[in-house]
Amino acid sequence: MERDRSPFVLACIEFARSPMAVLGALTLFVFVVLALIGHWIAPQNPYDLRALDIMDAQQPPGSSSMDGMRFLLGTDTLGRDLYSAILYGLRISLTVGVVSTAVALLIGAMLGLLAGWAGGWVEALIMRIADLQLALPAILVALILISLAGPGLGNVILALILVQWAVYARTVRSVVLIERRKDYVTAAVGLGLPRVRVVIYHVLPNCLAPLIVVGTVAVGGAITLEATLSFLGIGLPATQPSLGLLIANGFGYLMSGAYWISLFPGFTLLAIIVAINLVGDRLRDVLNPRLRR
Amino acid sequence: MPCRSAGPGPCSPSPSEPRVLLYVVRRLGQSVLLLLAMSMIVFLAVYAIGDPVELLVSPQATQAEIAATRAAFGLDQPLTTQYGLFLANALHGDLGRSFIFHEPALALVVSRMGATLELALSALLIATTLGIALGLIAALHSDGWIGRAIMSGSILGLSLPTFWVGILMLLCFSLWLGWFPAIGRGRTGDVFGIASSLFTLDGLRHIVLPASTLALGNTALTIRLTRSGAVEVLQSEFVKYARARGLAPRRILMVHVLRAVLIPLITIVGIEFGGLIAFSVVTETIFAWPGMGKLIIDSIYVLDRPVIVAYLMVIVFLFVVINLVVDLLYRLLDPRIGAN
Amino acid sequence: MSALLEVRGLSTHFTGRTGTVRAVDDISFSVARGQVLGLVGESGSGKSVTGFSILGLIDPPGRIVAGQVMFQGRNLVTLGESALRGLRGNRLAMIFQDPMLTLNPVLSIGTQMIETVLAHEQVSRAEAYRRARDSLGLVGIPSPEERLAAYPHQFSGGMRQRVAIAIATLHRPDLIIADEPTTALDVTIQAQILAEMQTLSRDFGTALIWITHDLSVVAGLADAIAVMYAGRIVEAGSVADVLDRPRHPYTSGLIGSVPSRNQRGARLRQIPGNTPSLLNLPEGCAFRSRCSYADTACAQNPPLSESASGHSSRCFHPVHEHVG
């Protein structure tokens, strides 16, 4: 009986009805696992200079090194195995995307709760700032911050948070505005439950579905933006080589025919983002209560 | 209110004109406030992060020069006075001199603006024409394979990172196929004193790849918006009525549906244009397009702060102007607004 | 009088995932030149779908599954789209319930009138403009030249409906299908529009199909009445026959629920229950669940019985007593 199953299981079943979304979810799962265990399965540590041999530089995919190691995806200009570099880059890109999104979600959700619950000038102030931020394209906001504060891991994450928080604040506030009018909230407040308790136990759970949907797609956006900034050379430093940085490193050698240096990290990035969007799209359909019958 | 008289009949001046004027004045006021806020953020950020004297003198300056500048710009004064000075200078177009180019920073940014605007405008043109055409086709065949193919393509277009598309375009159409030149702006031509790549064949060949790259994401967005708008309008009562009057499908699509879809689209296209200017940072870097996007990236590398500040002020100014124009255009095109 | 329009066995069904809605189910009626037919029924009875079916404006998932619509000797159901388009707005015009929704809000009235003229006649824009202006004048819109430049939202409800009538009469059509055109209007404006339509119909010899849920409207306007219930015509005949000697319990219920002077102080009667869902409607008389005369016979489809005067009904237990 469907009735016996938890909403979570039901959502999973509904999700699995779309083969593309399942494909996206599987791809994503593989990438996350690769990012987690990448340091152990990588043929070499691409950032240990002793492991590199300049004689192996710019080897095309499938060629072998002097000491018999195979370069599945070729090497870059320093003789670094691209497959290993991608595994390391994957971890950095995913970490930056997920961490920044999680922090932004937390901050945005709290500000949204505050705005929706407090009302008055607090709400007006928070929402006007959110409006202003949403009126500017993400890349511009990031550019403003980076150009004023300079590149670097911390500033990139800060920029990604700054770009995202407003969306979550807006999402949560709209849910709060709907929920607080409902009888159960009025009743809970009327019963003398502390407001904070009402918000956390009654209002917040209702924000979860929209936050999951928005947040999933936002991770893809954050990864893209970080890659873009790194590609431009104003993102992560060379000591934290994300996928975007790998692409940037190879870009200069496109002209000389060593296309693989940029191409393989690029396709990896693309696969992640498309997978995230497929999953996010499906989640929107599954979790959106308005579309649900 | 526009006067779109349907024939030789008289067109009385609209009674709502004073109200429109009032609205324009109010919007202008808001725009000025936004600019002020932005200048304050830039000023405070520069002040908070480092010694503002860095904004004004080159890193190679001697102690004496620094002291002189400090005094000249009143950097020993309280913050509010300093902001006033910054603002006064900014109003005179003085945002300091570039350390690298030894030119007034603002003039430098403005001189690169033309290249960026021509790129963004070309991309906008591609994105709107292609996006609206494909969006309408997708709406008309929403159940057919064409419609689904277009919609899947648009999802891909939205997921693809701009810089990655640029690299692929460069690789495919320039390096492998050799159809278009890879980098630079090509030769520019002069029309009415405006120098632009759009006026020479060589320039046009150069702009194809960067403009298409820049346009891709917005094309996808325009497709989706046009489709959803058109699907809604196609089911509307007034399309049914137009059919009941025996109008040709072409007329219904190109006049009734398109007009109804376009009006809300204009707001979004306008906002997109701002996004295109911002995103040209990426395209310009890939294709070595000498616009202000490339300038800001180069300036961030070398910490050419006056140029950075000038760029930020210019781009925020552009955004404010675009928003204002889009708003007014929207009011102009939709006869319903201003009625009540 | 030969029939201008003859509908025979028309069935329009909407097929969805959950089943088939027989919105119009095997209906037949005819309209003579210059005649006014009142098509009466509650919302959802299929009367609007009938109108759209005649014009060939049924969109998927809807489909005309059977029947003929003979108009001036041609079957509109099998006629090609471009030939149909030549008739729509030209020989066959339609007026909708709310012109606020049907007139394009972002095009001026003049633009929409002129395009209707040009869709069917090769005349100059100036000539089309003149016709639009004259047509507006004819329906009693003051200073038509100025109003041509105006947009739909700048008109009042009654004026908008006059504009719709002016558009419908641009080509002096042979038949106008009016779908609840006065429902959204005040009673006084409604009376004016009705008078306007009567004049136009008389002056140009235009036949009218007046679709409405309001019996009192057709009582004064129509020559003949067809009553629809759940996609079928349950009773049809001349106004006098149907209103004074209703046979179908549904018609008699409708008449009883109209307030009138003669019944002042009396309690209005109402038909118990709701209109049935048209989705997968079972065989038999659709009204039987609300009918006090219903018995086991009503589980079969009642056959059509017709009197010599052309008064027809579909009921096993026709009402015989007069309702006054």
Side-chain angles (χ1 to χ4, degrees):
Chain A
M1 283 299 288
E2 290 219 339
R3 212 161 293 171
D4 300 335
R5 289 172 177 159
S6 71
F8 175 76
V9 176
L10 283 179
C12 287
I13 292 171
E14 185 62 26
F15 182 91
R17 286 213 185 131
S18 160
M20 288 305 278
V22 172
L23 185 72
L26 283 179
T27 313
L28 211 55
F29 178 74
V30 170
F31 277 126
V32 170
V33 169
L34 283 180
L36 287 175
I37 62 167
H39 286 224
W40 289 287
I41 60 165
Q44 71 171 202
N45 177 355
Y47 301 102
D48 179 4
L49 287 177
R50 285 163 304 178
L52 305 183
D53 188 340
I54 197 73
M55 297 302 286
D56 293 332
Q58 295 197 43
Q59 292 297 312
S63 52
S64 301
S65 75
M66 301 296 175
D67 49 9
M69 183 185 155
R70 275 185 57 88
F71 298 120
L72 204 61
L73 303 177
T75 62
D76 71 1
T77 48
L78 293 173
R80 185 177 288 152
D81 174 40
L82 263 173
Y83 173 59
S84 308
I86 289 173
L87 286 177
Y88 277 67
L90 201 58
R91 175 184 275 196
I92 296 165
S93 286
L94 283 176
T95 309
V96 171
V98 170
V99 167
S100 64
T101 303
V103 177
L105 197 145
L106 222 61
I107 295 174
M110 285 199 308
L111 286 172
L113 273 181
L114 186 66
W117 200 264
W121 67 268
V122 179
E123 180 181 25
L125 182 73
I126 294 175
M127 294 329 286
R128 283 300 82 70
I129 296 176
D131 285 346
L132 182 71
Q133 200 265 289
L134 288 173
L136 301 174
I139 181 105
L140 185 61
V141 176
L143 205 62
I144 290 174
L145 185 98
I146 301 274
S147 59
L148 291 174
L153 181 65
N155 285 343
V156 167
I157 291 182
L158 196 64
L160 293 180
I161 292 169
L162 198 67
V163 162
Q164 288 186 54
W165 73 272
V167 185
Y168 305 117
R170 201 180 256 191
T171 308
V172 169
R173 173 176 163 271
S174 65
V175 175
V176 173
L177 288 188
I178 294 167
E179 292 300 321
R180 66 180 292 182
R181 276 196 220 100
K182 289 195 180 159
D183 288 343
Y184 76 89
V185 172
T186 319
V189 173
L191 282 172
L193 289 178
R195 282 187 152 216
V196 180
R197 211 187 137 78
V198 174
V199 169
I200 291 175
Y201 288 99
H202 297 275
V203 178
L204 209 52
N206 282 295
C207 304
L208 261 163
L211 278 181
I212 289 172
V213 173
V214 177
T216 310
V217 182
V219 172
I223 292 175
T224 309
L225 190 55
E226 176 272 314
T228 304
L229 292 174
S230 296
F231 173 78
L232 290 174
I234 56 173
L236 300 186
T239 49
Q240 262 120 11
S242 70
L243 292 175
L245 210 59
L246 291 181
I247 298 169
N249 288 342
F251 180 57
Y253 301 93
L254 270 187
M255 306 278 182
S256 57
Y259 61 90
W260 58 88
I261 307 179
S262 269
L263 222 53
F264 291 126
F267 279 127
T268 311
L269 179 72
L270 192 64
I272 296 174
I273 292 162
V274 171
I276 290 176
N277 283 348
L278 284 175
V279 171
D281 257 19
R282 187 65 194 157
L283 281 179
R284 194 197 320 272
D285 294 344
V286 173
L287 294 178
N288 191 340
R290 276 179 308 158
L291 294 177
R292 208 189 290 155
R293 266 190 315 118
Chain B
M1 278 279 298
C3 174
R4 260 175 285 120
S5 174
C11 179
S12 52
S14 163
S16 57
E17 242 154 55
R19 233 175 345 186
V20 171
L21 197 68
L22 194 74
Y23 175 80
V24 173
V25 169
R26 215 180 56 221
R27 281 292 278 116
L28 273 174
Q30 286 172 357
S31 305
V32 171
L33 274 179
L34 190 67
L35 273 177
L36 268 176
M38 191 59 210
S39 72
M40 219 176 283
I41 291 171
V42 170
F43 175 79
L44 281 176
V46 171
Y47 190 93
I49 284 157
D51 192 342
V53 91
E54 288 172 23
L55 241 174
L56 304 161
V57 298
S58 84
Q60 288 84 37
T62 63
Q63 281 302 316
E65 274 176 309
I66 291 174
T69 317
R70 206 180 279 280
F73 284 87
L75 293 181
D76 38 0
Q77 307 282 315
L79 203 59
T80 44
T81 321
Q82 285 185 43
Y83 176 65
L85 271 171
F86 170 79
L87 212 57
N89 286 331
L91 283 178
H92 289 105
D94 183 4
L95 290 170
R97 293 174 75 85
S98 163
F99 308 144
I100 311 295
F101 297 92
H102 305 290
E103 275 180 57
L106 190 63
L108 185 67
V109 171
V110 169
S111 73
R112 299 288 188 88
M113 203 161 75
T116 297
L117 286 182
E118 84 187 0
L119 187 62
L121 276 173
S122 309
L124 189 71
L125 194 72
I126 295 172
T128 26
T129 48
L130 209 63
I132 290 174
L134 290 176
L136 283 181
I137 293 173
L140 288 176
H141 305 276
S142 54
D143 294 326
W145 67 269
I146 295 185
R148 260 179 271 144
I150 291 175
M151 293 319 283
S152 311
S154 76
I155 291 180
L156 199 65
L158 281 179
S159 325
L160 289 169
T162 309
F163 75 95
W164 181 239
V165 176
I167 290 173
L168 288 185
M169 290 256 209
L170 191 74
L171 203 59
C172 266
F173 297 109
S174 187
L175 293 180
W176 290 347
L177 295 172
W179 291 354
F180 300 104
I183 55 163
R185 196 182 175 193
R187 207 168 327 145
T188 59
D190 264 22
V191 172
F192 304 122
I194 301 168
S196 169
S197 297
L198 297 176
F199 303 136
T200 68
L201 200 64
D202 182 53
L204 280 176
R205 275 168 48 81
H206 276 83
I207 207 169
V208 169
L209 287 184
S212 311
T213 302
L214 194 53
L216 187 85
N218 286 339
T219 310
L221 189 66
T222 312
I223 288 176
R224 298 187 79 83
L225 293 169
T226 307
R227 181 187 171 272
S228 65
V231 164
E232 205 183 308
V233 173
L234 280 170
Q235 288 165 351
S236 74
E237 290 272 304
F238 68 77
V239 166
K240 198 147 202 174
Y241 183 51
R243 285 168 64 199
R245 284 185 285 144
L247 300 188
R250 224 186 117 76
R251 165 107 195 156
I252 295 177
L253 189 67
M254 301 311 283
V255 177
H256 288 260
V257 175
L258 201 56
R259 178 80 68 116
V261 171
L262 274 187
I263 290 175
L265 204 64
I266 282 182
T267 318
I268 294 150
V269 165
I271 293 166
E272 276 182 61
F273 184 56
L276 287 173
I277 293 177
F279 253 102
S280 67
V281 169
V282 180
T283 337
E284 287 176 15
T285 304
I286 295 172
F287 294 97
W289 191 265
M292 55 183 192
K294 184 153 172 37
L295 179 70
I296 177 78
I297 297 295
D298 293 343
S299 302
I300 293 174
Y301 288 157
V302 296
L303 284 177
D304 197 348
R305 287 205 162 158
V307 179
I308 294 174
V309 168
Y311 172 85
L312 293 183
M313 292 312 293
V314 164
I315 200 150
V316 171
F317 178 76
L318 279 177
F319 257 84
V320 166
V321 170
I322 291 167
N323 275 335
L324 190 66
V325 169
V326 166
D327 241 37
L328 294 178
L329 211 61
Y330 184 75
R331 290 180 68 90
L332 213 70
L333 281 172
D334 195 336
R336 284 168 295 186
I337 301 180
N340 306 315
Chain C
M1 259 195 312
S2 70
L4 170 74
L5 175 85
E6 194 165 353
V7 175
R8 292 187 209 132
L10 181 71
S11 294
T12 304
H13 295 179
F14 290 77
T15 309
R17 215 177 297 166
T18 45
T20 297
V21 171
R22 281 181 281 190
V24 171
D25 198 15
D26 189 22
I27 64 167
S28 303
F29 62 89
S30 63
V31 184
R33 190 165 293 281
Q35 197 193 14
V36 179
L37 170 74
L39 196 56
V40 183
E42 292 166 288
S43 53
S45 61
K47 50 196 199 314
S48 293
V49 177
T50 305
F52 286 123
S53 300
I54 293 170
L55 284 174
L57 287 176
I58 297 294
D59 292 321
R63 203 166 65 86
I64 298 178
V65 292
Q68 291 177 317
V69 176
M70 301 302 295
F71 178 74
Q72 293 175 329
R74 287 197 282 180
N75 183 2
L76 301 188
V77 174
T78 52
L79 205 60
E81 175 61 25
S82 69
L84 257 181
R85 204 189 313 134
L87 290 175
R88 286 186 208 129
N90 186 8
R91 308 320 321 145
L92 269 166
M94 187 148 182
I95 300 173
F96 289 69
Q97 180 172 350
D98 186 1
M100 190 62 204
L101 297 173
T102 51
L103 288 165
N104 191 326
V106 295
L107 295 174
S108 72
I109 296 299
T111 308
Q112 300 188 56
M113 292 191 78
I114 288 167
E115 69 182 5
T116 313
V117 174
L118 296 177
H120 300 291
E121 273 184 78
Q122 306 274 328
V123 293
S124 68
R125 280 193 71 83
E127 170 62 19
Y129 173 82
R130 266 194 297 280
R131 290 204 199 170
R133 181 197 58 197
D134 294 348
S135 194
L136 275 190
L138 216 56
V139 295
I141 289 182
S143 50
E145 300 225 331
E146 272 173 43
R147 303 310 276 162
L148 276 177
Y151 290 87
H153 70 263
Q154 293 165 320
F155 289 78
S156 68
M159 280 297 160
R160 268 199 295 272
Q161 204 51 277
R162 279 167 200 266
V163 169
I165 295 170
I167 292 177
T169 52
L170 273 173
H171 294 283
R172 305 267 179 277
D174 299 305
L175 174 68
I176 294 178
I177 299 170
D179 188 358
E180 307 240 12
T182 56
T183 307
L185 303 177
D186 291 345
V187 184
T188 47
I189 310 282
Q190 190 175 329
Q192 288 174 16
I193 298 283
L194 285 176
E196 202 80 60
M197 287 305 291
Q198 256 172 332
T199 317
L200 287 170
S201 167
R202 197 177 332 111
D203 292 356
F204 304 139
T206 305
L208 263 178
I209 295 179
W210 196 275
I211 298 173
T212 182
H213 65 273
D214 190 348
L215 267 181
S216 57
V217 167
V218 284
L221 179 74
D223 305 311
I225 289 181
V227 180
M228 283 192 82
Y229 188 80
R232 298 196 184 125
I233 292 183
V234 293
E235 181 158 8
S238 69
V239 171
D241 276 347
V242 173
L243 291 188
D244 296 343
R245 290 171 291 280
R247 290 215 201 118
H248 199 283
Y250 176 64
T251 316
S252 110
L254 273 186
I255 295 168
S257 61
V258 175
S260 84
R261 240 183 321 209
N262 311 339
Q263 296 176 306
R264 197 185 326 217
R267 214 179 140 75
L268 283 177
R269 286 191 291 150
Q270 57 175 12
I271 305 172
N274 294 310
T275 38
S277 160
L278 289 179
L279 192 66
N280 303 327
L281 197 67
E283 282 291 295
C285 176
F287 188 61
R288 66 179 188 272
S289 59
R290 301 168 74 186
C291 181
S292 52
Y293 303 93
D295 57 20
T296 47
C298 300
Q300 302 290 317
N301 270 336
L304 190 79
S305 60
E306 189 164 355
S307 75
S309 63
H311 185 184
S312 65
S313 69
R314 279 179 187 275
C315 184
F316 289 112
H317 311 288
V319 188
H320 290 293
E321 74 273 34
H322 285 211
V323 176

